[in-house]
Amino acid sequence: QVQLVESGGGSVQAGGSLRLSCAASGRTFSSRSMGWFRQGPGKEREFVAAISGSGDTIHVTDSVKGRFTISRDNAKNTVTLHMNSLKPEDTAVYYCARGVYYNVYDRSTSFDYWGQGTQVTVSS
């Protein structure tokens, strides 16, 4: 089976940067899209960003576009969420997920394995 382990979460001041990494174990890493979701306090889980299997296509949700980006290193089986200019509203538990498909989708139902989540807290 697939196991996804996030790292890099923590606390940061508004305007700061943070980098979240997801290390994947299992088969066929490069054949699947990978994504990041987040769930803030009292909110539903929402899509943040996703990247295609080869890394040639990325989608970033409008609320973080221009501040966040996603990358992957298939040789290392890792996916990274680069977060800049963080805002308090970015505070959430961030989840790494493996996509069902090679290309990018933004619905949670298009992802079949999930990490345990890592907390990101942005203070004013």
Side-chain angles (χ1 to χ4, degrees):
Q1 293 185 351
V2 175
Q3 184 176 9
L4 306 176
V5 180
E6 300 101 333
S7 63
S11 298
V12 65
Q13 293 183 350
S17 299
L18 208 59
R19 183 173 63 249
L20 305 182
S21 294
C22 174
S25 62
R27 300 172 297 174
T28 65
F29 177 80
S30 63
S31 69
R32 302 294 189 97
S33 62
M34 296 291 295
W36 288 91
F37 289 73
R38 68 185 182 184
Q39 187 168 15
K43 298 181 179 180
E44 298 291 329
R45 184 174 297 185
E46 66 172 342
F47 171 80
V48 177
I51 186 167
S52 64
S54 65
D56 62 340
T57 302
I58 64 171
H59 287 169
V60 182
T61 194
D62 287 344
S63 63
V64 303
K65 191 172 296 181
R67 300 188 296 116
F68 291 12
T69 193
I70 185 171
S71 65
R72 69 189 296 161
D73 186 339
N74 287 347
K76 297 180 179 179
N77 282 12
T78 58
V79 179
T80 302
L81 182 66
H82 309 264
M83 304 185 293
N84 299 311
S85 301
L86 284 160
K87 303 176 180 180
E89 51 263 45
D90 295 320
T91 295
V93 177
Y94 284 72
Y95 298 89
C96 176
R98 189 188 78 164
V100 175
Y101 310 106
Y102 179 86
N103 289 311
V104 171
Y105 294 87
D106 60 4
R107 294 196 299 172
S108 62
T109 52
S110 296
F111 297 82
D112 57 0
Y113 285 90
W114 298 78
Q116 81 287 352
T118 186
Q119 177 70 47
V120 172
T121 302
V122 184
S123 60
S124 300

